[in-house]
Amino acid sequence: MKFLSLLAAASTATAHTIFVQLDAGGKVYPVSHAIRTPTYDGPITNVNSNDLACNGGPNPTMKSNEVITVQAGTTVKAVWRHTLTSGPNNVMDASHKGPTLAYLKKVSNALTDTGIGGGWFKIQEDGYNGGNWGTSKVINNAGLHYIDIPSCIAPGQYLLRAEMIALHGAGSSGGAQLYMECAQINVVGGTGAVSPKTYSIPGIYKSNDPGILVNIYSMTTSSKYTIPGPPLFTCAGGSGGSGPVTTQPEPVVEVPAPTQPEPVDSGCEAAQWQQCGGQNYSGCTRCAAGFTCKNINQYYHQCS
């Protein structure tokens, strides 16, 4: 009983996630420095919401009065944590599998631009390869999300939007959980040789995109995953970018799930948005007061 309680507590502690710090130019800036961070680590699930740009809405963000100088052509690291005070071993629950992405938007004033609307271009993406997800790499790398800043973009102020998408409940519409924050940066040393084709947020994703509406539990190590969003911008690829591979997952023959025993009340409680059941799950099966354990799919039940 005590072991199960400790296991459940660990799962609860690593559920959602926030982009809390930027590591740039060999310096790790303080938590929330030049980043519009929320105090709550919840997701955005409506891809048509203005909150998709830089978070907000159910996760109100705090204003930052700082701008971080970033050298074009270098690699920065977005640092992800479960909360604003979590450590490197508390990034996001391992069940939250999906892609990582990053976008830039050139702005006249990074302190005041909301990020909503046009001007965005994608500069990083990491999806699914041989059974490995982009989010899993970030979790296993102590929350570090590597992002290359193109050398060919124009110098000036930008919003840097780092994003992780959790697909554990994405087998039904609205089930994907999107996590993002915006950092306020000033890019120096860019050549301005290439002008990226830009896109609007909201508008980069649709609720039925194969990278947003997908049953990850039917995928095999050889399956192909379509990373959502516009083509990836690269200096070599010009304004069109090289783009993600858009092949569809291999068809999988559905095998009826084995009959599972009735869940046993372990005596612990799962908090809102935490897992509370599913095939081969052995953690908490009772939800905290006010929440119900809902069947998202055969592998993942969630308190909501």
Side-chain angles (χ1 to χ4, degrees):
M1 183 77 71
K2 183 177 180 181
F3 173 75
L4 288 176
S5 297
L6 291 173
L7 185 64
S11 177
T12 299
T14 57
H16 301 322
T17 194
I18 304 173
F19 164 30
V20 298
Q21 291 172 276
L22 190 67
D23 181 336
K27 178 178 180 179
V28 182
Y29 288 85
V31 170
S32 300
H33 183 95
I35 303 176
R36 303 168 186 182
T37 54
T39 55
Y40 178 63
D41 60 351
I44 299 299
T45 57
N46 180 1
V47 297
N48 298 312
S49 168
N50 286 341
D51 301 327
L52 192 69
C54 291
N55 210 341
N59 318 304
T61 56
M62 299 176 286
K63 182 179 179 181
S64 173
N65 292 318
E66 295 88 20
V67 176
I68 295 174
T69 297
V70 174
Q71 178 71 39
T74 63
T75 300
V76 301
K77 295 183 279 291
V79 181
W80 292 87
R81 297 285 186 263
H82 166 46
T83 71
L84 298 181
T85 58
S86 297
N89 294 324
N90 194 358
V91 177
M92 184 169 68
D93 192 271
S95 68
H96 289 32
K97 301 180 186 299
T100 63
L101 311 98
Y103 296 80
L104 283 176
K105 176 179 181 176
K106 195 170 190 311
V107 296
S108 58
N109 189 333
L111 297 179
T112 60
D113 195 288
T114 65
I116 299 169
W120 292 99
F121 56 101
K122 185 196 290 182
I123 60 169
Q124 181 273 333
E125 59 181 19
D126 187 10
Y128 179 77
N129 183 23
N132 297 314
W133 285 99
T135 55
S136 300
K137 295 178 186 177
V138 172
I139 293 170
N140 294 334
N141 198 33
L144 298 183
H145 175 186
Y146 288 79
I147 302 168
D148 294 333
I149 305 300
S151 61
C152 59
I153 60 175
Q157 294 196 7
Y158 288 79
L159 294 179
L160 169 62
R161 177 183 181 274
E163 179 177 35
M164 296 214 286
I165 302 179
L167 301 172
H168 55 285
S172 57
S173 182
Q177 296 182 357
L178 293 84
Y179 300 91
M180 78 299 295
E181 273 76 42
C182 288
Q184 300 161 175
I185 66 173
N186 180 47
V187 175
V188 298
T191 65
V194 183
S195 230
K197 182 177 180 180
T198 60
Y199 301 84
S200 176
I201 301 179
I204 53 171
Y205 306 141
K206 293 183 174 58
S207 59
N208 61 350
D209 283 347
I212 297 291
L213 182 62
V214 56
N215 177 10
I216 64 173
Y217 303 104
S218 68
M219 296 173 65
T220 67
T221 56
S222 60
S223 294
K224 302 298 182 183
Y225 169 74
T226 305
I227 299 175
L232 180 68
F233 170 77
T234 64
C235 291
S239 60
S242 58
V245 177
T246 56
T247 53
Q248 298 297 316
E250 294 180 354
V252 176
V253 177
E254 293 291 338
V255 178
T259 302
Q260 297 293 308
E262 287 297 317
V264 177
D265 189 342
S266 60
C268 60
E269 292 183 343
Q272 185 184 18
W273 307 120
Q274 301 307 303
Q275 187 170 3
C276 55
Q279 186 173 325
N280 299 324
Y281 175 72
S282 60
C284 296
T285 56
R286 182 200 307 165
C287 292
F291 303 106
T292 303
C293 189
K294 297 183 179 178
N295 185 338
I296 304 302
N297 54 54
Q298 75 181 70
Y299 302 93
Y300 193 87
H301 304 174
Q302 177 177 275
C303 292
S304 58

PDB file of all heavy atoms in Angstrom, residues 6-19:
ATOM      1  N   LEU A   6       3.404   5.938  -2.853  1.00  0.00           N
ATOM      2  CA  LEU A   6       4.582   6.674  -3.297  1.00  0.00           C
ATOM      3  C   LEU A   6       4.659   6.735  -4.807  1.00  0.00           C
ATOM      4  O   LEU A   6       5.031   7.756  -5.392  1.00  0.00           O
ATOM      5  CB  LEU A   6       5.847   6.008  -2.730  1.00  0.00           C
ATOM      6  CG  LEU A   6       6.047   6.115  -1.217  1.00  0.00           C
ATOM      7  CD1 LEU A   6       7.227   5.268  -0.784  1.00  0.00           C
ATOM      8  CD2 LEU A   6       6.253   7.558  -0.808  1.00  0.00           C
ATOM      9  N   LEU A   7       4.319   5.639  -5.478  1.00  0.00           N
ATOM     10  CA  LEU A   7       4.317   5.590  -6.937  1.00  0.00           C
ATOM     11  C   LEU A   7       3.331   6.590  -7.501  1.00  0.00           C
ATOM     12  O   LEU A   7       3.611   7.309  -8.463  1.00  0.00           O
ATOM     13  CB  LEU A   7       3.979   4.177  -7.413  1.00  0.00           C
ATOM     14  CG  LEU A   7       4.041   3.928  -8.920  1.00  0.00           C
ATOM     15  CD1 LEU A   7       5.468   4.113  -9.415  1.00  0.00           C
ATOM     16  CD2 LEU A   7       3.536   2.532  -9.241  1.00  0.00           C
ATOM     17  N   ALA A   8       2.138   6.645  -6.919  1.00  0.00           N
ATOM     18  CA  ALA A   8       1.114   7.581  -7.388  1.00  0.00           C
ATOM     19  C   ALA A   8       1.549   9.014  -7.165  1.00  0.00           C
ATOM     20  O   ALA A   8       1.323   9.890  -8.001  1.00  0.00           O
ATOM     21  CB  ALA A   8      -0.199   7.323  -6.642  1.00  0.00           C
ATOM     22  N   ALA A   9       2.184   9.272  -6.025  1.00  0.00           N
ATOM     23  CA  ALA A   9       2.651  10.629  -5.750  1.00  0.00           C
ATOM     24  C   ALA A   9       3.682  11.072  -6.771  1.00  0.00           C
ATOM     25  O   ALA A   9       3.687  12.204  -7.242  1.00  0.00           O
ATOM     26  CB  ALA A   9       3.251  10.698  -4.343  1.00  0.00           C
ATOM     27  N   ALA A  10       4.570  10.159  -7.164  1.00  0.00           N
ATOM     28  CA  ALA A  10       5.584  10.479  -8.174  1.00  0.00           C
ATOM     29  C   ALA A  10       4.933  10.781  -9.502  1.00  0.00           C
ATOM     30  O   ALA A  10       5.334  11.692 -10.221  1.00  0.00           O
ATOM     31  CB  ALA A  10       6.571   9.333  -8.313  1.00  0.00           C
ATOM     32  N   SER A  11       3.891  10.009  -9.871  1.00  0.00           N
ATOM     33  CA  SER A  11       3.194  10.234 -11.140  1.00  0.00           C
ATOM     34  C   SER A  11       2.500  11.584 -11.135  1.00  0.00           C
ATOM     35  O   SER A  11       2.540  12.332 -12.108  1.00  0.00           O
ATOM     36  CB  SER A  11       2.170   9.123 -11.378  1.00  0.00           C
ATOM     37  OG  SER A  11       1.441   9.368 -12.553  1.00  0.00           O
ATOM     38  N   THR A  12       1.854  11.934 -10.000  1.00  0.00           N
ATOM     39  CA  THR A  12       1.151  13.202  -9.896  1.00  0.00           C
ATOM     40  C   THR A  12       2.126  14.365 -10.017  1.00  0.00           C
ATOM     41  O   THR A  12       1.808  15.409 -10.573  1.00  0.00           O
ATOM     42  CB  THR A  12       0.410  13.275  -8.542  1.00  0.00           C
ATOM     43  OG1 THR A  12      -0.531  12.210  -8.504  1.00  0.00           O
ATOM     44  CG2 THR A  12      -0.306  14.593  -8.371  1.00  0.00           C
ATOM     45  N   ALA A  13       3.339  14.168  -9.518  1.00  0.00           N
ATOM     46  CA  ALA A  13       4.305  15.262  -9.482  1.00  0.00           C
ATOM     47  C   ALA A  13       4.889  15.580 -10.842  1.00  0.00           C
ATOM     48  O   ALA A  13       5.562  16.586 -10.999  1.00  0.00           O
ATOM     49  CB  ALA A  13       5.439  14.908  -8.511  1.00  0.00           C
ATOM     50  N   THR A  14       4.682  14.744 -11.819  1.00  0.00           N
ATOM     51  CA  THR A  14       5.332  14.954 -13.117  1.00  0.00           C
ATOM     52  C   THR A  14       4.325  14.993 -14.260  1.00  0.00           C
ATOM     53  O   THR A  14       4.610  14.541 -15.351  1.00  0.00           O
ATOM     54  CB  THR A  14       6.360  13.836 -13.372  1.00  0.00           C
ATOM     55  OG1 THR A  14       5.695  12.569 -13.312  1.00  0.00           O
ATOM     56  CG2 THR A  14       7.465  13.863 -12.349  1.00  0.00           C
ATOM     57  N   ALA A  15       3.144  15.535 -14.031  1.00  0.00           N
ATOM     58  CA  ALA A  15       2.094  15.458 -15.033  1.00  0.00           C
ATOM     59  C   ALA A  15       2.292  16.413 -16.200  1.00  0.00           C
ATOM     60  O   ALA A  15       2.684  15.996 -17.279  1.00  0.00           O
ATOM     61  CB  ALA A  15       0.749  15.727 -14.368  1.00  0.00           C
ATOM     62  N   HIS A  16       2.023  17.684 -16.000  1.00  0.00           N
ATOM     63  CA  HIS A  16       2.096  18.664 -17.085  1.00  0.00           C
ATOM     64  C   HIS A  16       3.476  19.331 -17.102  1.00  0.00           C
ATOM     65  O   HIS A  16       4.384  18.900 -16.409  1.00  0.00           O
ATOM     66  CB  HIS A  16       0.977  19.681 -16.914  1.00  0.00           C
ATOM     67  CG  HIS A  16      -0.388  19.040 -16.930  1.00  0.00           C
ATOM     68  ND1 HIS A  16      -0.700  17.990 -17.757  1.00  0.00           N
ATOM     69  CD2 HIS A  16      -1.498  19.291 -16.194  1.00  0.00           C
ATOM     70  CE1 HIS A  16      -1.963  17.635 -17.554  1.00  0.00           C
ATOM     71  NE2 HIS A  16      -2.463  18.393 -16.604  1.00  0.00           N
ATOM     72  N   THR A  17       3.600  20.416 -17.880  1.00  0.00           N
ATOM     73  CA  THR A  17       4.947  20.979 -18.029  1.00  0.00           C
ATOM     74  C   THR A  17       4.906  22.439 -18.449  1.00  0.00           C
ATOM     75  O   THR A  17       3.915  22.905 -19.021  1.00  0.00           O
ATOM     76  CB  THR A  17       5.757  20.145 -19.049  1.00  0.00           C
ATOM     77  OG1 THR A  17       7.134  20.481 -18.957  1.00  0.00           O
ATOM     78  CG2 THR A  17       5.257  20.361 -20.465  1.00  0.00           C
ATOM     79  N   ILE A  18       5.997  23.172 -18.152  1.00  0.00           N
ATOM     80  CA  ILE A  18       6.139  24.595 -18.484  1.00  0.00           C
ATOM     81  C   ILE A  18       7.554  24.830 -19.022  1.00  0.00           C
ATOM     82  O   ILE A  18       8.535  24.304 -18.481  1.00  0.00           O
ATOM     83  CB  ILE A  18       5.930  25.495 -17.247  1.00  0.00           C
ATOM     84  CG1 ILE A  18       4.568  25.240 -16.583  1.00  0.00           C
ATOM     85  CG2 ILE A  18       6.034  26.972 -17.625  1.00  0.00           C
ATOM     86  CD1 ILE A  18       4.384  25.982 -15.266  1.00  0.00           C
ATOM     87  N   PHE A  19       7.674  25.637 -20.068  1.00  0.00           N
ATOM     88  CA  PHE A  19       8.968  26.134 -20.543  1.00  0.00           C
ATOM     89  C   PHE A  19       9.353  27.277 -19.603  1.00  0.00           C
ATOM     90  O   PHE A  19       8.813  28.370 -19.684  1.00  0.00           O
ATOM     91  CB  PHE A  19       8.824  26.578 -22.003  1.00  0.00           C
ATOM     92  CG  PHE A  19       9.921  27.444 -22.555  1.00  0.00           C
ATOM     93  CD1 PHE A  19      11.228  27.361 -22.108  1.00  0.00           C
ATOM     94  CD2 PHE A  19       9.629  28.356 -23.577  1.00  0.00           C
ATOM     95  CE1 PHE A  19      12.227  28.159 -22.631  1.00  0.00           C
ATOM     96  CE2 PHE A  19      10.620  29.152 -24.118  1.00  0.00           C
ATOM     97  CZ  PHE A  19      11.919  29.070 -23.640  1.00  0.00           C
TER      98      PHE A  19
END
